[in-house]
Amino acid sequence: MQETRRRVLAALETGPTAGPALAEELDISRAAVWNHVEALRDAGFDIADTTDGYDLVSVPEYGEAAIEYELDADFDVSFHDELASTNATARDRAAEGVDRLAVVAGRQTGGRGRLDREWSSPAGGVYASLVVRPDVPPSATPAYTLAAAVAVADAAQAAGVDAGIKWPNDVLVPEPTAEAADGPTTGDRDPPTDGAKLAGVLTEMEGEADRVSWVVVGIGVNANVDAATLPAGATSLAAEAAPVTRRDFLARVIDRFVELTADLDTVLSAWRDRALTLGREVRVETPRGTVEGTATDIEFPGALLVDTGDETVRVSAGDCEHLRPR
Ligand code: BT5
């Protein structure tokens, strides 16, 4: 957000403030104060004229200025009511050279998951792609996916939803353990007991052998969405607890992501604290075949260690299923 506008809002947060006092505090003309107040009103901020001065009555639920208003991190926001895919737009912006930008859409018409799967993106959800240009080798990028999953799980917890992470990128609301243990079995293959999917992360990057040029971390969260309109096995914050204020939710996610990625060494322990996969029997479909066993730990930058009984296999990419406890 424009710096003076941010300062106008900060001043109004302390209570109604008269135009001349604002002008003096910010060291700008009264006409400039009026212009900034009008611009904020255009962006959806309800600023009343009272006998005590300008009074900040309400902040818009969502949108560029609303998200930037909540953000602590030094990050710009580009908001669109609708995009095909925030990742696609973010990649274009990254190629133009931007850094620390969140491309956000109110809904997506061509949202994508990994391997070009579809990501259902109705209005009410949170769809954001974060562009960063860290000074790290390409091999470190999986840590950015893990950091985003932690950030979403933390924000969901703050919204009253007991979310955890399934390796590597799914934020799930786990099924109650009793149900998992007593549910029906189907044949000799263990049915998945993953829980309901609340959010996913799709990370893309461009780089050279030793250094990334940019990383785009796409985050899709079923926030204020009717779970019945989502694919089977999905859930939403609204369904699990209550609708959230999306500007607040997304700002929390971005702030936490920035905090974690400022020191990549902090990501793994934060991920372990939220992990649903560790200690579980898992089946991972990897590009090199199926690995089945106990997930024992995670290793930098994001590989899962699976004890198959014969050996410990290090899996860096794949689709993971949690299996019923034997
Ligand atoms: C993911 O892929 O989980 C990554 C999703 C990333 C979406 C964000 S939204 C903002 C940004 N812009 C984009 O275009 N993408 C990113 P994956 O692990 O492959 O899971 C995809 C699978 O999840 C699908 O095949 C469906 O089974 C399921 N699915 C689709 N939409 C869903 C939804 N809204 N909620 C829960 N599950 C969904």
Side-chain angles (χ1 to χ4, degrees), residues 10-317:
L12 296 187
E13 266 172 34
T14 63
T17 315
L22 261 181
E24 192 175 353
E25 188 177 332
L26 305 181
D27 198 19
I28 56 177
S29 69
R30 289 187 199 183
V33 166
W34 189 82
N35 281 333
H36 286 302
V37 167
E38 281 304 299
L40 287 165
R41 285 173 172 155
D42 286 346
F45 289 79
D46 183 359
I47 300 172
D49 275 315
T50 70
T51 46
D52 294 329
Y54 293 119
D55 186 15
L56 179 60
V57 179
S58 71
V59 177
E61 197 265 326
Y62 210 30
E64 196 160 298
I67 300 161
E68 288 184 350
Y69 171 74
E70 293 296 347
L71 268 179
D72 290 330
D74 174 21
F75 233 82
D76 288 327
V77 177
S78 165
F79 184 88
H80 310 259
D81 288 333
E82 179 181 295
L83 282 179
S85 157
T86 55
N87 262 44
T89 302
R91 283 202 319 265
D92 291 345
R93 302 299 311 274
E96 291 162 19
V98 302
D99 188 13
R100 303 174 81 86
L101 174 74
V103 176
V104 185
R107 58 183 176 273
Q108 297 183 116
T109 53
R112 287 175 308 115
R114 296 177 299 156
L115 306 172
D116 249 343
R117 294 173 190 134
E118 219 173 280
W119 185 257
S120 174
S121 312
V126 167
Y127 313 105
S129 297
L130 314 184
V131 182
V132 289
R133 313 181 86 88
D135 190 7
V136 299
S139 59
T141 45
Y144 289 78
T145 304
L146 302 188
V150 171
V152 171
D154 284 1
Q157 294 265 349
V161 175
D162 187 20
I165 308 169
K166 184 181 78 158
W167 183 84
N169 70 337
D170 286 357
V171 179
L172 304 180
V173 179
E175 281 174 14
T177 319
E179 195 182 313
D182 299 339
T185 46
T186 48
D188 54 6
R189 268 176 79 93
D190 299 315
T193 55
D194 284 352
K197 185 157 169 172
L198 181 68
V201 181
L202 173 67
T203 300
E204 300 180 272
M205 66 103 183
E206 190 171 273
E208 282 154 28
D210 56 338
R211 199 175 161 272
V212 306
S213 160
W214 49 257
V215 182
V216 166
V217 183
I219 299 167
V221 187
N222 304 320
N224 306 337
V225 175
D226 178 358
T229 65
L230 295 172
T235 190
S236 68
L237 295 171
E240 297 291 335
V244 292
T245 305
R246 286 173 298 168
R247 64 162 194 275
D248 191 38
F249 184 87
L250 180 54
R252 258 177 200 278
V253 170
I254 297 172
D255 282 337
R256 182 78 173 116
F257 174 83
V258 169
E259 178 184 46
L260 285 163
T261 54
D263 178 2
L264 289 183
D265 288 342
T266 61
V267 174
L268 285 199
S269 66
W271 191 93
R272 285 189 191 102
D273 288 346
R274 294 274 182 239
L276 299 170
T277 303
L278 300 183
R280 295 286 304 259
E281 292 298 305
V282 297
R283 181 186 299 125
V284 192
E285 305 292 345
T286 80
R288 277 184 276 161
T290 305
V291 178
E292 209 169 307
T294 310
T296 53
D297 200 5
I298 188 160
E299 230 178 41
F300 192 84
L304 187 68
L305 302 185
V306 181
D307 177 359
T308 64
D310 299 327
E311 58 176 338
T312 295
V313 181
R314 197 174 177 280
V315 186
S316 9

